[in-house]
Amino acid sequence: MALKEIERPMDNFQKYSRLMLLIVGGFIAFVLVIALIFFLLRILSITMFNIPGFDWIFQFTIVAIPYVIFYAAYYYLSKKIKLSENKVSRIIARSLLVIGLLLCTITLVLAMMVFLKVDDMRLIAFNENGHYGWIFQLFILLIAAGVIAGGDKKEKDWMERKS
């Protein structure tokens, strides 16, 4: 009998104290994991920036990432256009996506020219106002998504679905 423990049901205090310890331990573990990630990223960045050419690759990545995200959004919406039932909304959405893709491509080319330090007076104006291209692309994406959603048939009310 000394080797076997007697199983007793836990009372409410034991249940809630164990639950609170798990919650606090989980929070502390989360904070420690975030601190460890920041520490590792700091060590990695110090190491990487001492490698010749990595600074250039990092800057190129920072310039290219927004355009990759916009291209992914345009691709996603182009797949959703096929699911729209209204022909007019499909035509309008396709034309908006073509305009958005042209704008994205033009601004990407201009941004790469600025990144590669091409000497042109017009690029100075683009460099100062390049964020407006991103804003226009966001508006085009949102309007195209709204047009695609507007072309679908009206959803049934929850009362109609139930009956």
Side-chain angles (χ1 to χ4, degrees), residues 3-143:
L3 296 176
K4 287 187 177 179
E5 288 188 31
I6 300 173
E7 293 184 22
R8 296 181 299 173
M10 290 195 306
D11 61 350
N12 283 340
F13 177 75
Q14 288 176 336
K15 287 180 186 177
Y16 292 124
S17 62
R18 187 175 286 181
L19 177 65
M20 287 304 294
L21 285 173
L22 283 173
I23 290 172
V24 170
F27 178 73
I28 291 171
F30 177 73
V31 169
L32 289 175
V33 165
I34 295 296
L36 180 68
I37 288 172
F38 279 128
F39 177 73
L40 290 175
L41 287 176
R42 184 173 179 196
I43 296 291
L44 182 69
S45 68
I46 291 170
T47 305
M48 290 298 197
F49 279 111
N50 287 327
I51 297 172
F54 184 79
D55 189 29
W56 185 84
I57 293 170
F58 178 76
Q59 290 173 358
F60 175 79
T61 305
I62 295 300
V63 170
I65 282 178
Y67 297 103
V68 170
I69 292 170
F70 280 122
Y71 280 126
Y74 289 125
Y75 177 75
Y76 176 76
L77 284 180
S78 71
K79 295 296 180 187
K80 291 295 179 183
I81 288 176
K82 298 174 186 173
L83 302 176
S84 180
E85 296 183 4
N86 191 348
K87 185 176 182 179
V88 174
S89 70
R90 284 194 304 246
I91 292 170
I92 293 171
R94 281 192 181 122
S95 63
L96 283 172
L97 286 184
V98 167
I99 292 169
L101 279 170
L102 286 173
L103 178 65
C104 188
T105 304
I106 291 168
T107 54
L108 175 63
V109 168
L110 292 174
M112 286 298 135
M113 289 172 69
V114 168
F115 174 72
L116 296 172
K117 296 177 177 52
V118 174
D119 191 24
D120 191 3
M121 293 300 292
R122 292 172 287 200
L123 289 178
I124 295 171
F126 171 76
N127 195 19
E128 293 173 355
N129 300 312
H131 56 281
Y132 291 122
W134 290 353
I135 293 170
F136 289 141
Q137 288 181 53
L138 281 175
F139 281 134
I140 289 172
L141 283 170
L142 290 174
I143 291 170

